[in-house]
Amino acid sequence: MDWGTDLWDQYDVIDKHTQSGLDLVERYVKFVKERTEIEQGYAKQLRNLSRKYLKRGTKEEQECRFTNHQAFQDVLNELNDYAGQRELIAENMITGICVELTKYLRDLKEERKTYLADARKAQQNLEISFKQLENTKKRFAKEWGEAEKAIQQAERTENDITATKAEVDKMKTLAHGRTHTAEESRNDYAAQLQKYNKEQNAFYYSEIPQLFNKLQDLDERRILSLAKGYIQFAHTETAVLPIITKCLDGISTAGKNVDAKQDSIRLIEQNKSGFDRPADVEYEDYSQAIKPATSENNINHPKVRTKLWPFTKKAKLPAAEDFSHLPPEQRRKKLQSKVDEINKELQKEQDQSDALVKMKGVYEQSPQMGDPASLEPQFQQTAQNIARLRGELRKYESWLAEASGDDSTNTAVNNNNKHRSLPADLSQNIYSEFDDDFEEDIEPPIGQATALYTFEGASEGTVSITEGEQLSVMERDKGDGWMRVQRANGDEGYIPSSYVQF
């Protein structure tokens, strides 16, 4: 069944129906746009909600060490990602449905307009042809009427005995002319009738059916596109469901990762002071000190004991470099963290020094690669950094040993220094306060060396040397890139091993 065959005479119905279909597409596009606005608004509110409750403050405050706090931050992060998926839904609906259908709708409107205009034009052409047929028909009727009158008038004249032959001939000539004209009009009418019937047949059996079938095809294509838009409405959201599910699973996982016991342990680790509990209050017998003649000024008053209640609000002390403002346990942890941090920095500087030594060796073997002397500023800078960090390390290791209740700083050094370092004797040059605690014998030099480059020993524990200077080697390189030397003037300290030649 098709419109051209079964609805050949329902132009108005087809016109109205196709317009209604286009209106439905426009309504659907508007509906989807409003849906995307809801999604965008929802996503924006979710993002604002997530941002509102995300932890702010200092970096330390932002670090969630308790699982229940971290879980809430994970929930907020997952919610923020969830909001992003809602925005993606809105974006894909706009581009995949609204934009595409709007463009397709514009094309359908133009195509429909063309088909309807062609149908109206065909109708108008048929109407013009029908008017021409009516005109030839009227002319034929008129001319035959006039011819019949002329024939009757000629017969009356011929039968009139009083009429002359000239009058009879005149009337016969007029009747003959009228008859000829009537014959021509009849032929015109027959030809126009044949033409009209042909045009009418083409109109009802060819032109209109084809146009109506094209409109039917247009409407069916519109319906299929609209149906595709309906399906895409669902698929747009279905496409992001795996990620949405992942976000929701992440929220569930955040809840499962909460560990009450672990949070309790972390609270202890973060806040354990390390103080001992107060001892029992001693009994003080003031009755033995009462004397009859004792004046008020001589009475022994009770000792005032500092309150150490757990709920007493502790005064916040200013931060000290050695973290002595912290309770013992927290101080030890802070110092240990600082020692670990310095060790990492020191290892980086040592790796840099090793790299420079290798590069210098390459330059010496292949001068075209570079000038070894050009590395001197980097050697000096690295040496200064290492010396500074070693000084910092010794200082914090000493405080750590003190905080840990260990009087031997060497124990802390051996336990925490996991990289190649300068000899421990360097501490005697850095910290003069240790000079009184150690007595050392004068060491004899173990060899002589010549300075290849000038070295500015700007850091503690190092010594400055000049190119060409003769030096006494007091301690060889132990694999860390440094050696201890003594100058002629008695100055002693560490220099890079690559700066001298034996």
Side-chain angles (χ1 to χ4, degrees), residues 419-432:
H419 56 79
R420 297 192 304 273
S421 61
L422 297 179
D425 292 340
L426 183 58
S427 63
Q428 295 179 3
N429 294 326
I430 299 176
Y431 298 103
S432 60

Side-chain angles (χ1 to χ4, degrees), residues 133-257:
L133 175 63
E134 288 294 314
N135 290 335
T136 57
K137 180 181 177 181
K138 290 179 180 179
R139 181 169 173 271
F140 170 57
K142 178 182 178 182
E143 291 299 333
W144 272 109
E146 293 293 334
E148 288 178 353
K149 290 180 180 179
I151 292 173
Q152 292 174 1
Q153 184 66 32
E155 290 177 352
R156 285 196 297 269
T157 303
E158 186 178 7
N159 295 328
D160 186 1
I161 60 175
T162 60
T164 64
K165 184 178 183 300
E167 291 177 341
V168 172
D169 291 338
K170 181 179 179 182
M171 295 305 298
K172 284 183 178 182
T173 301
L174 180 61
H176 179 74
R178 290 290 183 182
T179 301
H180 180 72
T181 302
E183 286 292 339
E184 289 181 348
S185 65
R186 181 175 63 177
N187 293 335
D188 291 341
Y189 170 64
Q192 185 62 38
L193 179 61
Q194 185 179 7
K195 178 185 176 185
Y196 174 76
N197 286 333
K198 183 179 179 181
E199 293 177 352
Q200 179 178 253
N201 185 275
F203 178 80
Y204 287 113
Y205 289 93
S206 178
E207 293 183 71
I208 288 299
Q210 289 179 6
L211 291 172
F212 282 7
N213 286 340
K214 288 181 180 180
L215 287 168
Q216 179 182 358
D217 177 69
L218 178 148
D219 194 61
E220 290 176 355
R221 284 187 282 115
R222 183 227 14 121
I223 293 173
L224 292 176
S225 297
L226 187 58
K228 183 180 177 181
Y230 293 160
I231 295 172
Q232 194 168 359
F233 184 82
H235 283 182
T236 301
E237 186 161 355
T238 304
V240 299
L241 280 182
I243 302 178
I244 289 179
T245 301
K246 187 177 180 180
C247 293
L248 297 177
D249 288 343
I251 293 176
S252 298
T253 301
K256 294 175 183 177
N257 289 340

Side-chain angles (χ1 to χ4, degrees), residues 455 462-463 465 471 481-485 493-497 499-500:
F455 173 72
T462 61
V463 64
I465 60 174
L471 304 168
W482 293 83
M483 62 186 304
R484 184 158 57 92
V485 299
Y494 286 90
I495 63 171
S497 303
Y499 273 53
V500 299

Side-chain angles (χ1 to χ4, degrees), residues 352-364:
Q352 174 69 12
S353 177
D354 293 344
L356 290 172
V357 171
K358 292 180 180 179
M359 187 179 297
K360 179 176 179 291
V362 172
Y363 286 177
E364 290 175 342

Side-chain angles (χ1 to χ4, degrees), residues 29-41 86 89-90 93 233-234 237:
V29 170
K30 184 178 180 182
F31 160 76
V32 175
K33 285 183 178 179
E34 292 188 11
R35 163 69 191 277
T36 59
E37 291 174 359
I38 293 174
E39 289 289 353
Q40 290 168 344
R86 306 313 304 189
I89 289 174
M93 283 187 174
F233 184 82
E237 186 161 355

Side-chain angles (χ1 to χ4, degrees), residues 336-353:
Q336 182 64 62
S337 176
K338 189 68 176 178
V339 168
D340 294 341
E341 179 184 340
I342 295 175
N343 272 325
K344 290 181 181 179
E345 295 182 14
L346 190 55
Q347 185 61 53
K348 288 173 61 178
E349 292 294 336
Q350 188 61 58
D351 293 342
Q352 174 69 12
S353 177

